[in-house]
Amino acid sequence: MAQTMKAVRGTRDLLPLETELWNRIEAIARQVFARYNFGEIRTPIFEDTGLFARSVGEETDIVSKEMYTWSDGERFNEQRIIEEWKKANETDDPAHTQAGRINVQGNPKFLAKLNELGVQLQVWRGVQVRPNLLSGYVELVSFRPGVSADAIDRLTRARELAKSDPESQIQHFAVRLRLVIPMEGDLGAWIDKKDVIVEPLAGRFFDSAQSLTLRPENTAGVVRAYIEHGLGESGQLQKLYYIGPQFRRERPQKGRYRQFWQIGAEVIGPPSSGSESALRDAEVLEMLATLLQELKIEGWTLELNSVGSAADRAKYNDVLRAALVDVAAKMCGDCQRRAVTNPLRVLDCKVPEDQPIIEKLPKIGDSLGQDSKDHFAQVTAALDAAGVPYKLNQRLVRGLDYYTRTTFEFTHGGLGAQNALLGGGRYDGLSEAIGGPKAPGIGFAIGLDRLVLTLQAQKSTVLETITVETKSDVFIAPVGKAQNPSALALARDLRNSGLRVELGDGAFRLSKSFEFGDKLARSIVLLGEDELAASILTVKNFMMRVQKKIPYGGLRSQPETSSAQESIERQINVFTQWLQLVAALTTDWTVENIPRPGHGLYDYHWRVISGEPPKILDYISLDKEDIGLSDEKRREILGRRFIALTKGKQVPV
Ligand code: HAM
């Protein structure tokens, strides 16, 4: 038996029930972003490796160890080698081929066949027979990145074709074969070249390889796009959000994957747009608090810090490096290395024995210049005013090099070791670092996988509503195979009106249809031969435990009506049946058409009745214009309106 294949370590599949929750979360996030006037941006999943090296930073863990990077193979430039070869061989006398030189020839129709075989040229090559007599022969020439058995084989086949195909017009000529490859191409030492002449040509015929990387994060890509499309030229603040997968080759564990998802946002613009203002920082943080609140995530902590300007950071790095000289020897191996390469990273250390030492190291707050201090004070003042709680954490320096001034993380106790639900901060110099104009910015990224874990741990109400909706509204059960086509027609009608429909199969026994129907849907419609003949559907509502026969002519093509009045009556009838069917499927209501009361804005009326003794729940009214709509259109508009009404009053499963 063939070995079974599994998802790659650190990646996983999300199946329908879980994706339902993901979609909900994403929908809520999109709604919140819309209220803050953010627009969506989608950048490619891979970028030039240099982008990440220059933004996230070469010394960071992400860039130095965790990226999926590959060289996007050197590309053979076929056009260039053909041009160069022709230049070197073609005669400048088009009428007469000089000895050893070529004329490019061939019947275009036959050339197309040659091209299909990977043979690009047919040439006439001159041979000096006697001092005054020039003769020649035909050469078929193929240009390839290297010698391969395939290339030899195709050239040989091309010659066979030239000899046999009248369109070649060279059936009676001597035909030689030539394979031109770049000098540095594979000479195919072990390949039988038969009688093919192999000609290595000097020159550059490979376009150099590009180093590409699966994005480990999306801020770099967004800022690259901001620069590439000149988004700053509008003079306005750009507010962009994204939802998508990111890739880091980390050790997988709970809440840490190699392909994970982020919901993120960036606020960026020229300084004149207000992009540097502390109010932007506070607004972004306030938006996050609102988003978490709407997602019903409880118990988060906002940890906040300022890492200062680039100059402040450099100063602190020196202070820290000096302070570490005496104590590094007592710390873990990682810290000893970091003390030299990237002292700031020491603050991320989680080794318990190192903590007392780290606590005594100089604090970044003491290295901040007055500007940075003022900026940070404005951020916290605005958060205080808006009532967003936070905790100052001077060790929060974050694992990416582009940060300046405000940095933050929202942590959650329910997540275990990987407790950062989201992280972000300001990056005032990032645009310039990747060749763009000055464009200060601030943003964040939420770990969507971790958000889901938190919600699942919380048994959130968002989750509960999802279990309810796993059931369809109706299961349509054709009683025999002959009813399958009508079943599809009914399913199409109901689905067009917004109902969620599961379609059974006439091959199922009735007991199986009922078993499936009960499991998958709130109600079942039986569609048998008799039902179709009598235009009556049998509807069983599992929730209400009632079975009803509903007259329903909707499955039959309607006879052409003679008068306008008859047509309206028929349409009222169709619509009444339609309402009755939907009511029976989803509720215990009945619906009846009532005569025109003689006043009011509308022309036609129905009432919705429920219970014993019957009580009127609601009225439905239509305009003349509405009733004149095509069946399909009417069902779409009115069916949906009615269904929305029934959904609002449905009994939960
Ligand atoms: P980050 O802190 O590297 O920041 O990632 C943000 C969030 O992504 C983390 O807090 C975590 O929830 C989630 N995350 C990171 N790695 C993994 C993983 N291996 N598995 C699961 N979830 C993970 C950034 O990516 C910055 N681009 C954020 C930002 C935007 N800063 C400014 N703008």
Side-chain angles (χ1 to χ4, degrees):
M1 209 168 65
Q3 203 186 351
T4 55
M5 305 292 291
K6 289 198 164 145
V8 173
R9 191 167 126 85
T11 71
R12 60 213 179 109
D13 303 306
L14 300 169
L15 304 178
L17 260 190
E18 199 169 12
T19 47
E20 184 87 10
L21 176 59
W22 283 59
N23 286 334
R24 287 270 176 117
I25 294 174
E26 290 170 20
I28 293 175
R30 286 178 198 279
Q31 280 163 18
V32 171
F33 287 139
R35 297 212 300 266
Y36 288 77
N37 214 15
F38 278 72
E40 182 176 3
I41 183 167
R42 300 189 191 195
T43 64
I45 277 178
F46 54 87
E47 300 262 4
D48 192 293
T49 306
L51 174 67
F52 302 114
R54 282 161 65 186
S55 56
V56 175
E58 235 146 346
E59 293 296 319
T60 60
D61 280 357
I62 295 179
V63 172
S64 66
K65 342 189 240 216
E66 295 169 359
M67 297 206 304
Y68 287 96
T69 296
W70 71 98
S71 153
D72 194 39
E74 293 193 317
R75 283 235 304 277
F76 176 55
N77 193 325
E78 187 182 294
Q79 224 42 51
R80 197 185 304 150
I81 196 169
I82 294 176
E83 289 312 318
E84 289 283 308
W85 186 81
K86 284 202 316 201
K87 234 193 283 165
N89 289 280
E90 235 170 339
T91 166
D92 44 13
D93 171 8
H96 306 282
T97 305
Q98 298 161 265
R101 316 283 301 167
I102 58 151
N103 266 341
V104 178
Q105 296 185 335
N107 171 15
K109 275 195 178 158
F110 181 64
L111 267 178
K113 292 181 190 169
L114 285 182
N115 290 346
E116 254 171 58
L117 277 170
V119 175
Q120 295 94 332
L121 293 183
Q122 176 189 320
V123 305
W124 175 255
R125 190 181 283 276
V127 178
Q128 196 81 47
V129 184
R130 286 201 303 274
N132 289 322
L133 181 59
L134 193 70
S135 181
Y137 59 87
V138 174
E139 213 174 67
L140 302 182
V141 196
S142 177
F143 298 82
R144 297 287 193 109
V147 178
S148 65
D150 177 62
I152 303 289
D153 178 51
R154 282 164 174 257
L155 270 169
T156 317
R157 274 161 46 205
R159 177 168 49 198
E160 281 161 16
L161 198 65
K163 292 283 177 193
S164 62
D165 187 341
E167 271 185 352
S168 80
Q169 298 167 358
I170 51 168
Q171 280 166 294
H172 309 297
F173 288 85
V175 176
R176 299 202 186 159
L177 305 175
R178 181 180 292 268
L179 177 61
V180 183
I181 63 166
M183 196 71 100
E184 66 269 41
D186 181 359
L187 278 169
W190 309 107
I191 292 167
D192 176 6
K193 321 240 175 9
K194 304 199 175 134
D195 61 344
V196 175
I197 306 158
V198 174
E199 179 187 350
L201 190 67
R204 267 201 56 74
F205 306 117
F206 288 109
D207 291 332
S208 51
Q210 193 179 9
S211 176
L212 301 180
T213 293
L214 288 183
R215 62 185 188 197
E217 61 103 56
N218 215 347
T219 309
V222 169
V223 178
R224 194 243 338 113
Y226 170 91
I227 299 166
E228 190 169 331
H229 303 286
L231 297 184
E233 283 157 24
S234 70
Q236 300 298 314
L237 213 50
Q238 300 297 309
K239 304 206 269 184
L240 305 163
Y241 80 87
Y242 49 82
I243 300 178
Q246 319 292 333
F247 307 84
R248 295 183 195 174
R249 199 169 183 287
E250 294 192 85
R251 197 166 48 77
Q253 63 180 81
K254 183 181 167 211
R256 192 162 72 191
Y257 310 98
R258 290 179 166 185
Q259 172 172 343
F260 60 99
W261 288 69
Q262 286 186 340
I263 300 181
E266 314 292 346
V267 180
I268 178 170
S272 60
S273 68
S275 56
E276 243 169 326
S277 163
L279 186 55
R280 298 282 80 83
D281 307 40
E283 190 184 17
V284 159
L285 290 164
E286 185 279 325
M287 176 170 79
L288 278 166
T290 299
L291 177 57
L292 294 182
Q293 182 186 325
E294 305 231 335
L295 289 167
K296 309 216 163 44
I297 298 234
E298 288 144 16
W300 49 265
T301 308
L302 160 55
E303 301 196 19
L304 195 59
N305 191 25
S306 174
V307 294
S309 64
D312 297 339
R313 256 178 89 145
K315 184 172 145 204
Y316 180 57
N317 244 318
D318 291 343
V319 172
L320 211 53
R321 190 174 276 125
L324 281 165
V325 169
D326 294 335
V327 292
K330 294 179 226 148
M331 303 181 79
C332 70
D334 274 346
C335 281
Q336 294 189 16
R337 191 174 40 81
R338 292 169 181 146
V340 185
T341 58
N342 196 349
L344 228 56
R345 292 271 76 79
V346 169
L347 305 183
D348 287 340
C349 175
K350 300 263 166 17
V351 176
E353 293 75 27
D354 288 357
Q355 301 310 308
I357 303 175
I358 296 171
E359 284 308 317
K360 289 203 203 81
L361 290 171
K363 301 278 181 285
I364 195 162
D366 300 327
S367 294
L368 296 189
Q370 197 53 46
D371 275 1
S372 300
K373 283 184 183 161
D374 290 348
H375 192 271
F376 194 55
Q378 288 163 28
V379 176
T380 52
L383 288 178
D384 291 338
V388 177
Y390 56 87
K391 207 176 100 190
L392 298 179
N393 175 2
Q394 294 224 36
R395 278 177 61 175
L396 188 77
V397 290
R398 312 258 307 125
L400 302 92
D401 278 353
Y402 50 60
Y403 289 115
T404 52
R405 303 201 260 197
T406 313
T407 54
F408 57 86
E409 267 175 19
F410 282 64
T411 55
H412 197 281
L415 279 169
Q418 301 304 318
N419 70 348
L421 199 53
L422 69 95
R426 186 165 265 292
Y427 43 84
D428 293 341
L430 177 52
S431 170
E432 287 143 294
I434 57 174
K438 189 167 167 56
I442 178 161
F444 63 84
I446 308 172
L448 185 46
D449 307 75
R450 295 186 190 174
L451 205 58
V452 172
L453 280 176
T454 313
L455 280 173
Q456 284 166 339
Q458 255 179 227
K459 300 245 177 320
S460 131
T461 43
V462 182
L463 271 179
E464 278 158 26
T465 44
I466 283 164
T467 26
V468 173
E469 291 196 5
T470 56
K471 282 210 171 190
S472 298
D473 294 310
V474 52
F475 185 91
I476 297 180
V479 174
K481 280 192 195 162
Q483 286 81 48
N484 275 352
S486 305
L488 181 65
L490 178 62
R492 179 175 157 94
D493 268 4
L494 296 176
R495 283 170 176 153
N496 278 347
S497 322
L499 282 184
R500 194 159 139 180
V501 176
E502 189 68 36
L503 184 55
D505 195 305
F508 292 171
R509 299 240 298 267
L510 208 53
S511 58
K512 182 164 167 177
S513 287
F514 265 96
E515 184 196 324
F516 279 18
D518 196 13
K519 200 180 277 171
L520 299 173
R522 296 160 161 269
S523 58
I524 186 167
V525 176
L526 293 184
L527 214 58
E529 208 176 330
D530 297 345
E531 275 92 352
L532 277 175
S535 289
I536 288 181
L537 300 178
T538 306
V539 172
K540 179 169 178 173
N541 188 318
F542 295 115
M543 301 301 131
M544 304 300 162
R545 295 176 215 293
V546 285
Q547 187 158 327
K548 282 186 189 170
K549 297 241 179 246
I550 307 279
Y552 188 69
L555 288 173
R556 295 242 185 123
S557 54
Q558 300 297 324
E560 285 298 318
T561 42
S562 46
S563 72
Q565 183 56 34
E566 216 177 309
S567 158
I568 286 181
E569 268 163 27
R570 182 184 67 78
Q571 296 203 27
I572 291 176
N573 195 25
V574 168
F575 193 63
T576 308
Q577 291 186 353
W578 164 252
L579 290 174
Q580 282 169 345
L581 175 62
V582 173
L585 290 172
T586 51
T587 61
D588 64 346
W589 308 344
T590 47
V591 182
E592 54 187 36
N593 181 234
I594 47 172
R596 186 175 178 180
H599 58 82
L601 291 171
Y602 294 97
D603 303 301
Y604 307 103
H605 303 266
W606 289 261
R607 63 177 167 226
V608 181
I609 305 159
S610 154
E612 204 45 65
K615 247 179 50 194
I616 296 171
L617 285 182
D618 221 324
Y619 288 94
I620 296 167
S621 303
L622 290 187
D623 265 347
K624 258 203 195 77
E625 288 73 34
D626 283 340
I627 206 80
L629 292 171
S630 69
D631 278 4
E632 216 170 301
K633 193 77 191 158
R634 188 176 55 238
R635 277 179 203 146
E636 188 186 313
I637 297 176
L638 304 166
R640 286 203 179 142
R641 201 158 86 199
F642 181 60
I643 286 162
L645 186 76
T646 64
K647 290 240 160 164
K649 292 177 184 167
Q650 261 172 27
V651 187
V653 180

